[in-house]
Amino acid sequence: MNKNFAVTSEPHSNGCNVVRLEGYLDAHTATNLEETIHTVIAQGCNRIVVDFEELEYISSAGLGVFMVFIEGVRASGGDLKLAAMKPKVFTVFDLLGFPVLFEIHPSVETALGNFHQGE
Amino acid sequence: METALEKERLQKEVDVARTIQASLLPRSAPSSPSFDIDSITTPASDVGGDYYDYVKFSNGSHGAIIADVSGKGVPAALYMATLKGVVLAEMRRATGPADLLRRVNTTLHGSMERHTYITMTCVEFTNDCRSLRFARAGHTPTLLRRAGATTVITPGGVAIGIVSPSMFDAALEEVVIPVNAGDICLLTTDGVTERRDGAMNEIGLIPISTMLDSLEPTTALDVVRHTLDLLERHAGDEDPHDDITIVALIVRGDNE
């Protein structure tokens, strides 16, 4: 298991930003993610897709990061969509009831496409 | 020198906080010829965010709750104490597990920090203990051994503090399951199912479920001890990275 954590963000052609996660998201690494999403929003983007494909593990502190931003981006007409989770990571979200609050897509492409349809 | 004194003062405050937190847990379990219940909680650091309690609903029936505040340490402990107050205030007005969870979310939603949430399961056992009623707010699944086979109980529900009362209520399910003498119900926090060995492998639900299948406990405390032994065998010398809480219930024979 990759116990390091990496987060990168990349603007997408349709005005969205894709935030890619890798490794192990817990109390120690959650601050990195929070800073990255904060920077994306501060630069004027409120349409964010989080790519979980390379994320191996998420703890409760990691989950809390998404709650910090969801209300703000939706209030400004945007959204924070989650995509491409491994089954084990999805189970953590699912048990907590997060699918009630967040859109969770099978792939980054479907999440991006969903932003298109919403326009 | 000043730093050492400051450190000592802070440690003393944490020691007092630990004592206060321990005093928030029930001193004794409810006693009944129909059921036997016992519990344990161990914080991973000085204070923790896990909580269990025994409750009594408006209809006079008993119940147990188990809860886990996200995060660790002093902030989680403060929310745990707040939760205790809300549970005590609401339980006698609550008609059952789902109603209690609804009341707790309605009270706490909007007053918690945005990144914080609480997962909680509540089980009601009527005085004759012929059935158990469960509701779950995003909490780790419950294990129930009936007639020698263990099943996972996971009614739908969102963790407390995440969504508005209307969304919370819409997602909340309650299940009633008939039980008989010898059946065992095991509530845990994720510090149990996510207990890791030296190679970071979590124990998961399956070994605990397998242990319950063949367990012949005399008391609920036996169930707690067997669960702790299983965790110890899995983890070896590894320190727990999360609080560990276990609530075990055995249905007695006097419910016929």
Side-chain angles (χ1 to χ4, degrees), chain A residues 3 24 57 60 63-64 67-68 88 95-98 100-101, chain B residues 71 114-117 119 136 138 158-159 162 167 196 200 202:
Chain A
K3 286 169 199 134
Y24 204 87
Y57 172 85
S60 62
L63 290 154
M67 287 164 57
V68 171
K88 197 183 160 225
L95 276 175
L96 281 163
F98 270 43
V100 170
L101 183 61
Chain B
R114 275 193 293 180
H115 62 271
T116 306
Y117 55 85
T119 70
R136 187 186 69 91
V158 187
I162 293 181
M167 283 171 89
R196 296 177 192 150
M200 301 285 278
E202 295 174 357

Side-chain angles (χ1 to χ4, degrees), chain A residues 55-77:
Chain A
L55 192 80
E56 304 287 345
Y57 172 85
I58 188 162
S59 76
S60 62
L63 290 154
V65 173
F66 304 104
M67 287 164 57
V68 171
F69 296 105
I70 188 69
E71 278 182 27
V73 292
R74 283 190 182 156
S76 66

Side-chain angles (χ1 to χ4, degrees), chain A residues 5 7 19 21 25-38 41 48 50 52 58-73 80 82 93 98 101-102, chain B residues 70 113-117:
Chain A
F5 176 72
V7 54
V19 174
L21 312 181
L25 178 56
D26 60 13
H28 300 290
T29 55
T31 317
N32 283 1
L33 174 59
E34 193 164 338
E35 281 168 5
T36 303
I37 297 179
H38 190 266
I41 293 169
I48 300 165
V50 184
F52 282 74
I58 188 162
S59 76
S60 62
L63 290 154
V65 173
F66 304 104
M67 287 164 57
V68 171
F69 296 105
I70 188 69
E71 278 182 27
V73 292
L80 183 82
L82 316 180
F93 275 86
F98 270 43
L101 183 61
F102 293 93
Chain B
S70 67
E113 283 189 288
R114 275 193 293 180
H115 62 271
T116 306
Y117 55 85

Side-chain angles (χ1 to χ4, degrees), chain B residues 226-254:
Chain B
H226 276 95
T227 310
L228 286 174
D229 287 348
L230 186 69
L231 295 184
E232 206 167 303
R233 283 201 299 277
H234 174 80
D237 296 332
E238 285 298 303
D239 288 332
H241 74 290
D242 199 358
D243 309 333
I244 286 175
T245 302
I246 301 167
V247 177
L249 171 87
I250 300 183
V251 180
R252 289 289 187 208
D254 296 0

Side-chain angles (χ1 to χ4, degrees), chain B residues 3-249:
Chain B
T3 316
L5 280 174
E6 178 70 3
K7 253 187 166 176
E8 194 182 324
R9 189 185 66 78
L10 279 173
Q11 187 54 50
K12 273 188 184 157
E13 285 193 6
V14 170
D15 290 345
V16 174
R18 184 174 53 215
T19 308
I20 292 172
Q21 183 166 48
S23 75
L24 296 175
L25 297 167
R27 288 191 189 147
S28 61
S31 158
S32 163
S34 310
F35 60 82
D36 182 35
I37 189 162
D38 221 311
S39 312
I40 193 169
T41 186
T42 317
S45 53
D46 290 312
V47 290
D50 278 11
Y51 169 54
Y52 72 87
D53 217 334
Y54 308 118
V55 295
K56 212 166 182 187
F57 295 106
S58 60
N59 63 3
S61 63
H62 289 282
I65 59 156
I66 188 164
D68 184 353
V69 179
S70 67
K72 290 188 187 68
V74 173
L78 287 172
Y79 277 114
M80 176 269 184
T82 307
L83 176 62
K84 164 100 183 176
V86 176
V87 167
L88 282 185
E90 295 295 341
M91 68 177 186
R92 286 182 190 281
R93 280 180 284 191
T95 56
D99 190 37
L100 179 59
L101 296 185
R102 264 186 219 114
R103 287 166 178 272
V104 171
N105 184 66
T106 301
T107 306
L108 290 178
H109 176 259
S111 66
M112 292 167 65
E113 283 189 288
R114 275 193 293 180
H115 62 271
T116 306
Y117 55 85
I118 299 170
T119 70
M120 185 165 155
T121 285
C122 181
V123 55
E124 177 196 20
F125 21 105
T126 50
N127 288 329
D128 62 359
C129 214
R130 286 170 186 272
S131 64
L132 301 178
R133 187 151 62 129
F134 297 92
R136 187 186 69 91
H139 196 76
T140 302
T142 298
L143 292 173
L144 180 64
R145 190 190 83 181
R146 294 167 67 217
T150 305
T151 51
V152 179
I153 312 290
T154 319
V158 187
I160 288 158
I162 293 181
V163 292
S164 65
S166 61
M167 283 171 89
F168 183 89
D169 298 356
L172 193 64
E173 295 172 357
E174 196 171 61
V175 294
V176 179
I177 300 178
V179 288
N180 288 298
D183 290 351
I184 302 170
C185 174
L186 187 69
L187 309 170
T188 69
T189 51
D190 59 9
V192 171
T193 48
E194 294 175 7
R195 188 78 172 94
R196 296 177 192 150
D197 64 13
M200 301 285 278
N201 297 308
E202 295 174 357
I203 187 167
L205 273 175
I206 293 169
I208 305 170
S209 169
T210 307
M211 174 207 71
L212 278 183
D213 284 344
S214 57
L215 203 61
E216 295 298 339
T218 313
T219 62
L221 183 60
D222 281 347
V223 180
V224 172
R225 282 185 181 142
H226 276 95
T227 310
L228 286 174
D229 287 348
L230 186 69
L231 295 184
E232 206 167 303
R233 283 201 299 277
H234 174 80
D237 296 332
E238 285 298 303
D239 288 332
H241 74 290
D242 199 358
D243 309 333
I244 286 175
T245 302
I246 301 167
V247 177
L249 171 87

